[in-house]
Amino acid sequence: MPDTINKDVITEDGFLDNSFAVLQPKKGAHRAGLDAVLLAACVPVERNGLVADFGAGTGVAGMAVAQRCPQAQVELIENDAETVDLLRRTLILSRNFHIADRLSVTEADVTTLDRPRFSHIIANPPFNARGQQPSPHTRRAAAHIADPSLFEEWIEAAKRTVLSNGHLTMIVRAESQADIETAMAGSFGNRLVLPIVAKPDREPIRIIITGQQGGADNTHELPPLILHQPDGRFTDQVEDILRGRAGLDLHNMSA
């Protein structure tokens, strides 16, 4: 890498069994992890065309798509200038040379996008309502706090920019399911909802919801994805996803 990383400020973190790496602020801004990897795992491995990572943050979800889907190009779209600079530095890490030519970075607010070009859009939007335990760090709070209209605005942007029969896949807090479904109705149909639970018999902490442009306006809920075994370790299924050995084939799960 042409410039030196200050390891007191920036960390270089490997994902999917260290198959690629991202640069992330050590503190003071959002750090990506499990949610991003689970989101990326829902993109079919045979996906081609241009995939968008809305609100890409440090790039984990979009880069995981590029790693998993060898025919896909991925556009990382982020509006925070400092994060965009970090993304561009990430793409020239030697550990990422094998996917770098299929990745691009765009500095933009996703709500300003208006040209249809994406075969699949993934999004891990800010999920806390204002007033819900905001982070004391300004940039981390911005990544976590959603205005009430944000889901609707991001989904409207997805409607404008997805290609015919393309897909939108989001990971959000479980309590946002009704809002997401309402915003998707009429545009993204054949919706599949995957509840994510910490352990069996627990309430969902997240959902992944995916829909297809122009699909029938219905929703099907899948059996939950269980994150942890009784001893706290990840389940074998989740461990395989984190290691890059498996994805989440939502459509087969619905069969």
Side-chain angles (χ1 to χ4, degrees):
M1 177 165 188
D3 55 345
T4 302
I5 298 170
N6 182 344
K7 294 183 179 179
D8 293 330
V9 178
I10 301 296
T11 63
E12 182 178 319
D13 304 308
F15 289 86
L16 301 192
D17 212 18
N18 289 313
S19 59
F20 68 90
V22 303
L23 299 176
Q24 304 193 88
K26 195 168 186 177
K27 55 186 177 181
H30 175 67
R31 288 174 58 85
L34 179 62
D35 284 5
V37 174
L38 294 179
L39 175 63
C42 296
V43 179
V45 70
E46 67 273 12
R47 175 65 69 210
N48 56 21
L50 182 59
V51 177
D53 183 359
F54 275 16
T58 57
V60 173
M63 293 181 70
V65 171
Q67 176 65 32
R68 295 187 59 254
C69 307
Q71 300 178 76
Q73 302 282 328
V74 181
E75 185 173 346
L76 307 170
I77 303 171
E78 173 57 45
N79 71 341
D80 180 75
E82 290 182 50
T83 303
V84 168
D85 177 67
L86 207 56
L87 276 171
R88 290 176 173 148
R89 295 171 64 194
T90 286
L91 263 55
I92 57 174
L93 291 173
S94 60
R95 295 168 68 181
N96 297 331
F97 282 175
H98 63 297
I99 56 173
D101 64 343
R102 293 188 290 111
L103 291 161
S104 62
V105 178
T106 298
E107 183 175 352
D109 180 338
V110 299
T111 65
T112 67
L113 304 176
D114 60 6
R115 181 167 60 87
R117 61 184 188 275
F118 303 122
S119 64
H120 202 135
I121 298 168
I122 60 172
N124 179 11
F127 47 71
N128 289 331
R130 293 197 178 275
Q132 280 188 304
Q133 299 179 337
S135 167
H137 298 288
T138 303
R139 290 177 62 216
R140 184 178 297 165
H144 285 185
I145 295 176
D147 287 321
S149 62
L150 182 138
F151 291 149
E152 182 177 349
E153 290 174 353
W154 279 37
I155 292 169
E156 285 296 324
K159 293 175 186 178
R160 295 193 301 270
T161 56
V162 74
L163 296 171
S164 179
N165 298 317
H167 288 77
L168 169 64
T169 305
M170 306 177 76
I171 186 166
V172 297
R173 288 197 168 189
E175 55 264 35
S176 299
Q177 179 174 342
D179 292 337
I180 299 294
E181 287 189 43
T182 297
M184 281 188 170
S187 295
F188 292 99
N190 295 329
R191 291 179 295 275
L192 300 174
V193 176
L194 176 68
I196 300 172
V197 300
K199 292 182 179 180
D201 302 321
R202 299 280 184 88
E203 290 296 313
I205 55 175
R206 298 281 191 276
I207 62 160
I208 292 174
I209 182 166
T210 191
Q212 184 176 20
Q213 191 272 345
D217 196 17
N218 56 47
T219 302
H220 180 69
E221 189 158 314
L222 304 172
L225 175 70
I226 301 168
L227 297 180
H228 299 289
Q229 301 182 49
D231 62 5
R233 291 179 299 140
F234 285 121
T235 60
D236 290 344
Q237 181 182 12
V238 172
E239 188 68 29
D240 283 345
I241 293 167
L242 291 173
R243 296 285 183 180
R245 297 189 291 252
L248 280 167
D249 189 340
L250 302 185
H251 290 87
N252 275 347
M253 292 169 68
S254 68

